[in-house]
Amino acid sequence: MTQKHIHILGVCGTFMGGVAIIAKQMGYQVTGSDINVYPPMSTFLEQSGIKIIPNFDVEQLQPAPDMILVGNAMKRGNPCIEYMLENRLPFTSGPQWLHDNLLRNRWVFAVSGTHGKTTTTGMLSWILDQNGLEPGFLIGGISGNFGVSSRLGNSDYFVIEADEYDTAFFDKRSKFVHYNPKTLIINNIGFDHADIFDDLKAIQRQFHHMIRTMPQSGLVLSNAAETSAKETLAMGCWSAQQFVGEEQEWYAERITNDCSQFAVFHHGEKVAEVTWNIVGQHNMHNALMAIAAAHHAGVSVENSAKALAGFVNAKRRLEVKGEVNGVTVYDDFAHHPAEIQATLTALRDKVGGGVRILAVLEPRSNTMKMGHHKDEIAPALVRADHVYLLQPDNIPWEVVDIANNCIQPASCTADLDKLADMIVAEAHPSDHILVMSNGSFGGIHQKLLTKLAQKS
């Protein structure tokens, strides 16, 4: 092995932390640094024997490691980046290193799309694992089944969450361009990441670049109803294509209203039923994609359905944080109008029409903070009975604009504690409080549970 010591800048990000654990399992000496050192990733890294330095002081690069992996959060001006460049130390990106040292020798299942990546990657990894294929995987969250975000695996199969975000400060291509998949899932393609993409066409172009790297023996799975995916495939595709949707190769039909039980159809024939502890039409769609991808590797639909019965989703996917005095508090990662709508629809299908849902939203993603999708948020919240919005102090627009466009009662404030008080004052037994953010939301979940317990 020529590269004995790998040092990772930005090691506590979900992706780079996952790369670190895989490199350690491959036999490399791995160290890393970050200023955002917190569980669960910091715990997993330490348990794997990976030393974390909680700063970017240049001493960590003395003596020089054999290779520096640069996380995409690292920017020019960072002391380690400047030292690395000035002293001509060897460096690369996480995705490029992963390709060169692992993925090019594997059957890669890449799970892409604006929404549903983490969940679908977890499902596919679990299906392959339960059918004895011992896959490696890298998931953009802590898997509910495996308890980790990544592993090397013991076979040719590797499942990876294929993120369209950029690779590094020196490589502005999407991360997934480096993965060279044999099986590609495109769940959907929508506009997001307005901080790095000018428009939807720029994102579609990156998807096209990934498709260009696939072999003819490969397979692209996409949604027949997705116009943006169709447009992308029309730019050129040299692999087989299969589609999900009515009158397509793959189709799913719910048996229960909340999709906790659904039927799977292949070429028009019902071939299996899935009964599981997950809800929502979007998750039924995710499962169908995972089933179709596993089928490409020879796993029968029936065996995939059996595996999904034991699937446990990653945290922050309609996760119950607690129940107090008959009020249930959920946490969800939804941060895009399509995700907000899908999550609310799933919860509505689960609890029924006669139960109140209080939706709580923090506009926190880069795209939201820039004001993109602002006009789409109120319509996405339509399944909620009452809406509560936090006004962040770092955005150039007012969330009251969303509140004014809501058809149901909507409240907003810049004070987190006041927001929690407003929600608790409104909450009644049997209500469901759905908190949505791609950040910690100031710990509002526990604030709500504590205040609900104190409510007389």
Side-chain angles (χ1 to χ4, degrees), residues 53-123:
I53 300 166
N55 58 60
F56 292 118
D57 296 344
V58 298
E59 287 78 13
Q60 64 194 262
L61 299 179
Q62 302 165 351
D66 295 292
M67 181 60 72
I68 299 168
L69 303 193
V70 180
N72 71 348
M74 299 296 101
K75 295 179 171 60
R76 288 300 305 261
N78 178 293
C80 283
I81 296 296
E82 297 307 315
Y83 181 88
M84 173 187 84
L85 295 173
E86 201 65 43
N87 290 276
R88 300 180 184 178
L89 302 185
F91 68 91
T92 189
S93 68
Q96 186 69 57
W97 183 89
L98 203 61
H99 169 268
D100 293 348
N101 293 276
L102 178 66
L103 298 184
R104 65 185 181 86
N105 298 315
R106 295 286 189 103
W107 177 327
V108 175
F109 298 82
V111 181
S112 70
T114 311
H115 323 293
K117 292 186 293 293
T118 300
T119 298
T120 309
T121 307
M123 289 178 184

Side-chain angles (χ1 to χ4, degrees), residues 399-420:
V399 297
V400 69
D401 296 340
I402 297 173
N404 290 338
N405 287 327
C406 288
I407 61 171
Q408 67 277 71
S411 310
C412 56
T413 177
D415 187 315
L416 186 69
D417 287 314
K418 183 178 178 182
L419 187 70

Side-chain angles (χ1 to χ4, degrees), residues 180 205 207-215 235-238:
N180 300 137
R205 174 64 58 182
F207 274 85
H208 174 61
H209 290 331
M210 172 172 53
I211 291 168
R212 276 182 172 273
T213 69
M214 295 180 63
M235 295 166 69
C237 181
W238 297 264

Side-chain angles (χ1 to χ4, degrees), residues 20 126 135 197 260 301 326:
W126 181 242
F197 293 116
S260 59
V301 178

Side-chain angles (χ1 to χ4, degrees), residues 139-192:
I139 304 172
I142 306 302
S143 162
N145 285 109
F146 300 104
V148 295
S149 66
S150 66
R151 79 176 184 195
L152 180 59
N154 294 306
S155 71
D156 284 341
Y157 302 109
F158 196 92
V159 187
I160 187 164
E161 178 167 336
D163 182 8
E164 69 271 25
Y165 212 76
D166 61 1
T167 297
F169 76 87
F170 51 86
D171 182 352
K172 307 317 284 184
R173 294 174 295 171
S174 291
K175 284 189 275 190
F176 59 39
V177 171
H178 301 275
Y179 298 162
N180 300 137
K182 182 172 181 179
T183 307
L184 171 63
I185 290 174
I186 303 177
N187 266 330
N188 36 63
I189 305 177
F191 182 64
D192 200 3

